[in-house]
Amino acid sequence: SPWLGFKGGKGIATGFGSLLVASPVIALCIALVFIVFAVATRIVSVGSIAAAVSVTVWCVVFHWGSIPFAVF
């Protein structure tokens, strides 16, 4: 958050936790995306951003046509 001086990561952790409960398969996929990008770039925030962006793709892949997941 710019208001907190870009210190954080709590939103990513909260989002991951709620996604873990909603769809463990998608949570595993985004965890793998996070690990690949974080290890490749050695920047945790790049892994977090890549994982957050990939959630939409994984939701379409695993839950095509599900309105609640599209809203989530």
Side-chain angles (χ1 to χ4, degrees):
S1 166
W3 295 277
L4 298 175
F6 296 102
K7 304 284 185 204
K10 292 152 198 79
I12 294 294
T14 303
F16 179 75
S18 62
L19 192 60
L20 186 61
V21 171
S23 180
V25 174
I26 293 176
L28 175 66
C29 292
I30 67 166
L32 292 174
V33 169
F34 169 78
I35 290 168
V36 167
F37 277 86
V39 168
T41 62
R42 293 186 166 183
I43 302 172
V44 173
S45 61
V46 171
S48 298
I49 292 168
V53 169
S54 74
V55 169
T56 305
V57 175
W58 293 118
C59 283
V60 168
V61 169
F62 289 109
H63 298 288
W64 180 256
S66 175
I67 299 300
F69 269 90
V71 171
F72 179 70

